[in-house]
């Protein structure tokens, strides 16, 4: 016994025989094995993110004014859901750091710029953030890797955001 996928297609009438049907049967055992493996890996990843109070994000520098957040990262930031979990880098991210502490915002901006310019190997910052959903201030640690094109220009930055409020308060 094994998993199969069956495809049916209606064919035009041929030689006065009326409607014809073409059937294909495919063994999808390997595909199912891979799907199960992906589900398992995703479960492990979700568990790790949950245990560490973390979520992931991505900045595509073909659209550098915005970042895409995972649902988990948006919850950490206390963001309201948006289509595609897309948020403005300045008006939504940086301004909320500045609302919590303008000096920390300046330092965080410098760390971001240093990473983008290649002065540091990655973006790594801990900052306070005023959550829009409840007005509370959370402490965030964000670490991001930058992928560059052949000319060394940033193509994307992807990383993880972790709520470190409890650690900071301790």
């Amino acid at each position: 016994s094994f998993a199969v996928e069956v495809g049916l297609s209606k064919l035009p009438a041929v030689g006065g025989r009326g409607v014809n049907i073409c059937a294909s049967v495919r063994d999808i055992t390997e595909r199912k094995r891979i799907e199960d493996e992906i589900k398992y890996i995703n479960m492990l990843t979700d568990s790790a993110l949950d245990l560490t109070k973390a979520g992931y994000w991505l900045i595509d520098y073909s659209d550098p004014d915005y970042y895409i957040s995972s649902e988990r990262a948006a919850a950490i930031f206390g963001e309201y859901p948006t289509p595609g979990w897309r948020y403005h880098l300045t008006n939504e991210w940086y301004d909320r750091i500045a609302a919590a502490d303008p000096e920390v915002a300046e330092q965080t901006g410098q760390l971001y710029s240093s990473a983008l310019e290649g002065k540091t190997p990655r973006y790594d910052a801990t900052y306070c953030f005023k959550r829009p959903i409840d007005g509370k201030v959370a402490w965030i640690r964000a670490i991001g890797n930058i992928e560059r094109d052949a000319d060394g220009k940033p193509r994307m930055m992807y990383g993880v955001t972790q709520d470190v409020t409890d650690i900071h308060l301790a």
Side-chain angles (χ1 to χ4, degrees), residues 41-93:
I41 291 168
N42 285 338
M43 183 275 300
L44 292 176
T45 302
D46 283 344
S47 294
L49 290 171
D50 189 46
L51 289 168
T52 59
K53 296 183 180 180
Y56 58 89
W57 47 266
L58 166 76
I59 303 169
D60 180 343
Y61 289 107
S62 66
D63 186 17
D65 294 335
Y66 292 88
Y67 68 97
I68 305 300
S69 176
S70 68
E71 186 174 350
R72 194 181 298 273
I76 290 167
F77 283 126
E79 294 287 4
Y80 292 100
T82 61
W85 303 98
R86 187 171 183 258
Y87 300 94
H88 197 273
L89 200 53
T90 302
N91 298 341
E92 292 178 290
W93 176 73

Side-chain angles (χ1 to χ4, degrees), residues 24-132:
S24 65
V25 178
R26 238 178 253 118
D27 178 351
I28 58 168
T29 304
E30 181 65 9
R31 183 173 86 195
K32 295 297 269 176
R33 186 194 65 75
I34 291 169
E35 287 172 355
D36 289 344
E37 188 175 325
I38 289 169
K39 284 179 190 174
Y40 180 71
I41 291 168
N42 285 338
M43 183 275 300
L44 292 176
T45 302
D46 283 344
S47 294
L49 290 171
D50 189 46
L51 289 168
T52 59
K53 296 183 180 180
Y56 58 89
W57 47 266
L58 166 76
I59 303 169
D60 180 343
Y61 289 107
S62 66
D63 186 17
D65 294 335
Y66 292 88
Y67 68 97
I68 305 300
S69 176
S70 68
E71 186 174 350
R72 194 181 298 273
I76 290 167
F77 283 126
E79 294 287 4
Y80 292 100
T82 61
W85 303 98
R86 187 171 183 258
Y87 300 94
H88 197 273
L89 200 53
T90 302
N91 298 341
E92 292 178 290
W93 176 73
Y94 186 82
D95 286 355
R96 292 182 178 133
I97 300 170
D101 187 321
E103 189 175 311
V104 170
E106 180 67 28
Q107 293 166 357
T108 302
Q110 289 172 359
L111 290 169
Y112 177 80
S113 294
S114 290
L116 209 52
E117 294 165 7
K119 294 177 183 175
T120 57
R122 69 177 40 90
Y123 169 68
D124 189 344
T126 301
Y127 53 85
C128 46
F129 187 89
K130 188 168 183 179
R131 294 166 39 101

Side-chain angles (χ1 to χ4, degrees), residues 61-62 116 146-157:
Y61 289 107
S62 66
L116 209 52
I146 299 173
E147 184 180 301
R148 298 180 184 278
D149 65 16
D151 298 325
K153 293 180 184 174
R155 281 190 354 92
M156 68 175 59
M157 183 188 296

